[in-house]
Amino acid sequence: MVGDGGSWAARGVCRTGDPEELFVEGAAQNRAKAVCTGCPVRTECLAYALDHRIEHGVWGGMTDRERRGLLRRRPTVTSWRRLLEAARTDYVHKSRSQEDEGAAAAG
């Protein structure tokens, strides 16, 4: 995995595996995508691939075809990193709010 000057790549689940396993075709891509499940830097990895228009391999749990489709659907996005980090932050806040509401209703 290629870093962007930050330390996220060094924390990727894939860092200890064979990089060739992430640059496969067909059904093997599903196995490659599974490597990304639960990875602590999945968002950073995907944002890097989208921002740098990386054309090959599985990055952040998305194949090259999936990334191309996303780029076509959202041509006005100038920073995928900012967009994905904002979406992740929003998701975390909503999840915590729902947990708080559930605890209040139970208690």
Side-chain angles (χ1 to χ4, degrees):
M1 174 160 309
V2 179
D4 62 352
S7 62
W8 67 264
R11 297 187 330 267
V13 170
C14 62
R15 75 188 174 284
T16 59
D18 179 3
E20 294 300 316
E21 292 178 7
L22 299 174
F23 295 88
V24 293
E25 306 258 337
Q29 289 181 328
N30 289 329
R31 288 189 301 278
K33 286 169 57 170
V35 170
C36 302
T37 303
C39 181
V41 294
R42 185 175 179 170
T43 301
E44 292 86 347
C45 181
L46 178 57
Y48 181 85
L50 291 167
D51 283 339
H52 292 87
R53 304 299 194 263
I54 296 177
E55 295 183 14
H56 302 289
V58 172
W59 290 76
M62 291 185 82
T63 66
D64 48 355
R65 175 179 270 175
E66 292 167 334
R67 290 192 312 275
R68 280 193 304 272
L70 185 57
L71 289 167
R72 275 194 305 273
R73 288 189 304 274
R74 303 287 302 271
T76 60
V77 175
T78 57
S79 172
W80 285 95
R81 184 172 188 138
R82 275 197 313 262
L83 179 73
L84 293 174
E85 286 176 353
R88 180 175 53 191
T89 299
D90 186 49
Y91 174 79
V92 168
H93 287 294
K94 285 182 181 178
S95 295
R96 287 183 183 153
S97 294
Q98 289 174 349
E99 287 174 9
D100 292 344
E101 288 173 10

